[in-house]
Amino acid sequence: ITLFFFQQGPSSFLPCCPMWRSLQKAAATRERNVFSARSAAVTFSGKHSNVKRFSSLKPSFVVNTSLFFHHDRYNVNSVGRASKIACRALSLSSSSSGVFVGNDSPDVACQLDYFMSLQFAGIATALVNDLYQTNGIQTLHFLPTCPPGREPSRVRSFQNTNPSTLATFGSIEQNIFVPTLYDDPSLEVTAVAAMFRRSPLCVASRRPLKEGDVIGCHEDTVHLMKRIFHRQTVVASPRGSKNTDLLNGTYNGIQAYTTTEIPALRRFMKEKGWNHEDLVATPLEGATGGATDGGTAAQEDIRLGYSQMLFLPDECLSHHDRREASRAFLDATFRGWDMAIRNPEEAIRAVSEAQRMLGLDDEANDHWHPSGDFRREMLHSCCDHVKETFGGDRLGVLEEKRWGEAVKWLLADKEGGGENVDSKFGLDTTGLWKPAETIIGGNELGRKVMEEARHSAIQFAQSHGRKPSLAVITVGTLKRYTHASRRVQLYSNHSQSWFTKTDTGRANGFDVTEIQLDAETTTTDKLLSEIYKIRDKVDGIQIMWPFPPHIDSARVFNAVPVEKDVDGIHYIGQTELGKEDAYPPVTPAAAMELMKEYGVNPRGKHAVVVGRSPIVGSPMAYMLRREGAAVSVVHRDVEDDILKELVGQADILVTCAGNPGCIDAEWLKEGVEVINVGTTFSEDFDSLVSDVKGDIGSKASRFSPVPGGVGPISSPMLFRNTVKAAWDQANAGESGWKKETASIRKSFHFDSYTEALEFMQKVDKLSTVMDHHAGIRIVHKCVKGVDLEMSFFSFDAKELTEKDFDAAQAVDLIHGNNQIKMSDFSYNLQEDAVAKFPAEPRGSSKLLKVDSSGRVSYYSHFGKAIPEMLEGCHVVFN
């Protein structure tokens, strides 16, 4: 590699430059003499014509020191930075031929699926900060960009041509990778990680799409788009001019990405004087056919899977040295992304620097807007996608279930594909980039719960014409919110964060009202007044704890109706009274959900809970006790020696103190399972820290990490409770049956005792047939007739069962004089409509209702939804 230095200023300065001295030293000590270093310093004072004299020499790498020196003033930081780049040139290359120049192949090669840009900010940041070299990758080669969809074949070709290269990485979308590999198994490549969890693929249009509209897309996604947009005409279109083509009306819609083209298009439209809010961006991931193409046909959710996915030739996973090099590349890449997330401005500069270093920024396209705010918005969006890949203790994790769902959908139209293909097709099963088995991570579980809540919220809105609603009331500034913005930046995004409930609700189909009250001027009565004003307008209420000391917490909590108590204030009392479906406090419920997901079984074990707050510690201990654990609760009034002793006895330790380092990992019993609930943000570490200091993994058989354990599940649990409360209240109000502690109750009015007695006889006959009798109370109304108050409950179960709801529906049918003749009904049950196997896990079946217009409604609880749904219907059981 030949390097030429162009210097602005006197040529005598160059030999004194630390950059030059470090380069000469590297040249003298390098084992493989594959380059020469020459001084070509000139004074050009900004006249680029002098620089052109050297173009015929075709240097492999050019360092322009004028980028780091200003007006000939010596700057140590600038020199050091330039020195790093010069030395890095000895181990980096990017050739137009794609063949490494030198006596040996590179340690690692990389085929990006696009030009170096902000979507690769993690790679750029790792490159500029020498993370790859630090991890032992001495030579890293970037292949030139290739036509879309050709990345797997390019990676395979390079690895075959350069067999001594330890690993050749490629980046690609899962929706391209899986069908490509299925069609050509000889590629023999495997997915190992991903930079984006969700595909940002969308269709951009200046108005909602109509039947017959033309959509332009990349050549590698034509088949995919035709499958989704069957009411429109899909054509291959030029990649570099698609924004212009949309704005000029060449196409009605274009393939776009929410991270790139959408923010650019909004700015272009604004500059033209158009209303940029008219731009329609239709995300494809998770949508249905009817939702995307403007039609009404029901279709399963679109599953595109991961984006910016990283893959390798299979042989790179089968040898120790290759695996170590592959793991080193991934580690550096995702540490680079962590740096980009923490310092976006430095990441933007790193991408510009990497573009100059690699020469991979020369695509002429209209995807970008030249403004700095565009770059910041694009990087912010990319970082949000990257943070969603966090699993266990690292970024970039591929989850088997999510991968498999996408594989099934992507191959559904392939011969032998769909349900017949292995859900792990194309996925690494060797654990190259998988968190340790000892880690109980909650990120993916939290996303799963939130997605379920979002789907339920959408269906609720379709059924009831409004969104589920939540009110959050806070008095004063909570201590844990001090670093809220930094915590969102580092660990979450505005679609799933505890600290941005209004934005989180909006992103997932909820209406959220946040009420912030002043701590000094708010009295108990004023707080109660706010609750009274809002409680009949929303489905759920969350009162943020703790209160200022002058607030009467008992009066405040009692003002929250049980049916709207989505944060579980009344949970323990309601449960003790037999109401098994009371809404649980969200953070303890998140911890229990995490334990259930990973098979942490409390039954018969000694569980120690550290902390006793009314919203976390106390209900946590209660829930563990209900699951069969012997529970000890430790709190601030307990002496340290007793704390140490009890912690050392715990089979399951749940920390809820929110006091960093109050527990030493050395106290833990060998094999203990640790659930970290209490977390605190440390400014010193710029990170969340747990209540346990030291190496938990040295003692614990399994433990939830900080960050990435219970925290990511709390917000989804709140919205799960909220949508459940919305359905429960809507169903109770429309059917007339009111839910009580462990029963359902309804009042029927009759003008005379005779009518009431006749109805009672009919109900008696029905109850005998169903083997489920109603409780009946007669209320005399004198000249106004008589009311029959009827209730159902299951004595043995001590809770509501589907049998209660079935009986209630039957009573409603009798009361409505519905006469059913079996001979009036017949149907043809198609073979493919029959479920072949029970749902796994049992009880996870979803109830779907398709109306005559093809609209699909989703219900998460069969027993509670069925009475209203079947009103006036005839049901045939096969």
Side-chain angles (χ1 to χ4, degrees), residues 637-674:
D637 295 332
V638 174
E639 297 293 335
D640 288 347
D641 56 342
I642 297 177
L643 168 65
K644 180 178 179 180
E645 180 182 354
L646 287 172
V647 166
Q649 295 173 1
D651 301 312
I652 298 174
L653 176 66
V654 185
T655 66
C656 312
N659 182 9
C662 65
I663 300 167
D664 195 318
E666 292 298 319
W667 302 349
L668 301 177
K669 182 172 75 173
E670 290 287 345
V672 64
E673 294 172 301
V674 180

Side-chain angles (χ1 to χ4, degrees), residues 17 211 406 519 532 535 549 557 633 709 842:
C17 175
E211 186 170 357
Y532 296 149
R535 67 181 185 181
F557 287 152
V633 178
R842 296 304 299 272

Side-chain angles (χ1 to χ4, degrees), residues 281-326:
T282 306
L284 302 187
E285 174 71 21
T288 63
T292 53
D293 66 5
T296 58
Q299 181 178 331
E300 75 278 12
D301 285 352
I302 295 168
R303 300 293 183 185
L304 302 181
Y306 292 90
S307 181
Q308 298 304 113
M309 189 204 76
L310 296 170
F311 66 94
L312 282 168
D314 292 352
E315 60 267 32
C316 299
L317 296 169
S318 58
H319 300 286
H320 176 75
D321 290 347
R322 294 183 183 276
R323 288 181 65 86
E324 288 303 304
S326 301

Side-chain angles (χ1 to χ4, degrees), residues 194-253:
M195 292 181 276
F196 292 5
R197 178 181 178 268
R198 290 179 295 114
S199 172
L201 182 64
C202 68
V203 166
S205 56
R206 291 181 57 195
R207 56 164 173 75
L209 292 172
K210 298 185 297 186
E211 186 170 357
D213 280 347
V214 179
I215 301 174
C217 64
H218 305 169
E219 60 178 296
D220 61 337
T221 54
V222 171
H223 177 78
L224 174 71
M225 290 294 191
K226 284 184 176 179
R227 182 178 166 193
I228 298 172
F229 293 91
H230 36 73
R231 290 161 53 91
Q232 286 76 32
T233 301
V234 177
V235 298
S237 61
R239 185 174 184 175
S241 61
K242 56 183 177 180
N243 279 1
T244 303
D245 291 339
L246 176 66
L247 297 178
N248 290 345
T250 304
Y251 303 107
N252 304 111

Side-chain angles (χ1 to χ4, degrees), residues 253-278:
I254 59 167
Q255 172 184 338
Y257 292 90
T258 56
T259 52
T260 311
E261 289 88 350
I262 297 304
L265 278 168
R266 290 196 179 108
R267 288 167 172 80
F268 290 141
M269 291 176 67
K270 194 172 182 180
E271 289 171 355
K272 289 177 175 289
W274 300 349
N275 186 358
H276 65 281
E277 294 183 359
D278 289 341

